[in-house]
Every structure is written in C-alpha cells, then in structure tokens.
Amino acid sequence: DGSRFWGLFAARKVGDEVVEFVLDVTQRRKAEAALRDADRRKDEFLATLAHELRNPLAPLRNGLQIMRLSSPAEAPVQRTVQMMERQLGHLVRLVDDLLDVARITSGKVRVERQVIALREVLARSIEATHAAMEAKQHRLQVDVPGEEVHVEGDLDRLAQVFSNLLSNAAKYTPAGGQIRLHLAPQPAEVVVSVTDNGIGIPAGQQERVFRLFTQVRDHQSHFEGGLGIGLSLVESLVHMHGGAVWVESPGSGQGSRFCVRLPRVDGARAGSGRHDAER
Ligand code: ADP
C-alpha cells in the first residue's frame, strides 16, 4: 500500500527545487507498535473464538449419543445420527487444534516430562488414525525394531504429533495407497518417519507447510478440509521435546516423508522408572 509506505517518510525541502525524503523513525516505530498490537489482538481473538466454539460441542455430542441409544433401530435414523457424530468429531478436532494454537502462541502449553516407550506413543497414534486409513483402503506398514526405545516427554502430545502425520499421510494419499511408519533408533537419538506414496509436495513449498494456516495451493483439488494448523502444531510440539521435524518429498505426485528426530533416553535411565519435571 503506497500511502502507508510513504507515510514512513518525512519530506524535507532542501533548496528551491529539491525535496528530500528521510525515513521518519517515529512513524516507523508507530507502525511497528500498531502491527504488534494487531498481532496480539489476533491471538486474543483466536483464543476467544476457539473457546466459544468449543463450549456448545460437548452438549451436542451428549445429545447425539442419547439419540443413538434411544432412537428406533431404523436404518435411516441411525445412519443420520452416525453421520452427525462423525461430522461433530471432525469439528471437535478442528476446534481443539485452534485452541492448541492459541495456547502455544500464548505460552500456555506445558508438556509433561516422563520417560515413555515410543512404541506406546506410536500404538496410540495408529489407533487414532486407523479408521481414516481403513476408509481409504490404505496399507499401513509398521517397521519398529524389537528393542524398546524411550524418549522423555508427554505421551499425549507425542501421540498427537504422530497422529497428525499419519492422518495427513492418509488425507493426501489417494485410495489404496501405502503408508509406512518407520522407527530408526541411533545411540543418542531416534528418527521416526511417516512415508506415503501420495500427492507429494512441490520442492519450493516444502518449508512452507510447517507455517500456521498454510496449505499447498496445488492440493486444493484434493482438499478434504482442514485449516493448515496440524503441521505447525507438530513443529511446536516437537521443538518442545528438544527435537526437529522436516519433510522430504521428491516433488508433486511422488509421495512425502515426514521425519521427526527426538533425543533418546538411555536404557539404564528408562529402566529406573519415571523422571518427572527434571527440566
Ligand atoms: P491441513 O492438512 O489441515 O491443511 P497441515 O498443517 O497438517 O494442515 O498441512 C499443511 C499442508 O501441507 C496441507 O494443506 C498439505 O498441502 C500439505 N501436506 C501435509 N501433509 C502432506 C502429505 N503427507 N502429503 C502431501 N502434502 C501434505
């Protein structure tokens, strides 16, 4: 916006003809403060919106459950109730993601620090996403070594990380595709990868997918809903666990691999039980 740009400059006359434009520092500071203020209000709005949207969902869910249990076993009624429950579940997940974003931005998310078996984390994530994969007849291959691998962190939050990656793999892979969950332990760390043979991500857009509210433009034809929140949550949660996440995709149409690296807890410490809140 040109007028806003020129507003940052002050005109100063030097001589009869010449006008010099100098950067007006006060104006720039004002503009920066206004931006910070707008950003803060956006975060507050997001938090309020998510709360307000969340509140009516619990009674709706209970109501549907009552309808399912007490309505006649007529197929059309039961099917409608089931459809409503599925859609409501989708809405609950979206709103929960929004709430998480609001909490993470305001620094209100705490992750527990316990020694946990990665196998349990992955089992939970598979359980949470397996219906979505089954619906599209995907084949899930799980490669987890025999040895127990432990990490320090929050079981629910780590399960959320891998559920997000698995459900994205299901979402962005056409029916009948292959998804592979692989755990590669190294002495001090472990890399978990989720690989699919789906629509892939164009080279120039791979870094962008972790940004909040960002979706790959070419993927709109495959759109199954979503707000572009999941991967930004994944990244924040992985960072909170001292890890890193990245994507490797040969390009459009050639599948994607999302990798998460986490620091590993050595076997002796893992064996000695829980380690709460050490940091
Ligand atoms: P959402 O899935 O709700 O759009 P995410 O933050 O989880 O949000 O993902 C951001 C974008 O990254 C998606 O919109 C999609 O374009 C791309 N993406 C994520 N996972 C995959 C995948 N496994 N294969 C291809 N593209 C993906």
Side-chain angles (χ1 to χ4, degrees), residues 94 97 164-165 167-173 194 196 198-201 205 208-220 223 225-234 247 249 255-258:
L94 277 181
D97 277 357
N164 262 312
L165 296 181
S167 76
N168 274 351
K171 202 159 137 186
Y172 299 104
T173 301
V194 176
D196 63 61
I199 62 176
I201 301 171
Q205 306 212 29
R208 291 181 64 238
V209 296
F210 293 100
R211 283 192 218 148
L212 188 57
F213 303 131
T214 302
Q215 298 174 312
V216 176
R217 228 169 297 121
D218 314 0
H219 291 175
Q220 266 152 13
F223 200 61
L227 294 170
I229 290 181
L231 286 179
S232 123
L233 279 179
V234 164
V247 61
S249 171
S256 317
R257 169 177 297 149
F258 284 84

Side-chain angles (χ1 to χ4, degrees), residues 150-226:
H150 292 89
V151 293
E152 188 181 48
D154 191 307
L155 179 59
D156 291 334
R157 291 306 190 170
L158 284 177
Q160 186 179 1
V161 164
F162 297 108
S163 305
N164 262 312
L165 296 181
L166 285 170
S167 76
N168 274 351
K171 202 159 137 186
Y172 299 104
T173 301
Q178 286 229 22
I179 298 166
R180 179 173 180 235
L181 177 63
H182 182 227
L183 192 159
Q186 286 145 25
E189 58 189 34
V190 54
V191 176
V192 181
S193 57
V194 176
T195 310
D196 63 61
N197 64 350
I199 62 176
I201 301 171
Q205 306 212 29
Q206 296 180 5
E207 307 237 306
R208 291 181 64 238
V209 296
F210 293 100
R211 283 192 218 148
L212 188 57
F213 303 131
T214 302
Q215 298 174 312
V216 176
R217 228 169 297 121
D218 314 0
H219 291 175
Q220 266 152 13
S221 54
H222 300 266
F223 200 61
E224 292 186 30

Side-chain angles (χ1 to χ4, degrees), residues 133-147:
M133 292 187 206
E134 229 172 48
K136 285 175 85 176
Q137 282 141 17
H138 287 136
R139 211 167 67 84
L140 175 69
Q141 181 188 338
V142 183
D143 287 332
V144 176
E147 63 174 311

Side-chain angles (χ1 to χ4, degrees), residues 99-109 232-233 236-237 240:
L99 264 180
D100 274 344
V101 168
R103 288 195 193 115
I104 286 177
T105 338
S106 61
K108 281 189 194 141
V109 163
S232 123
L233 279 179
S236 302
L237 292 171
M240 284 179 190

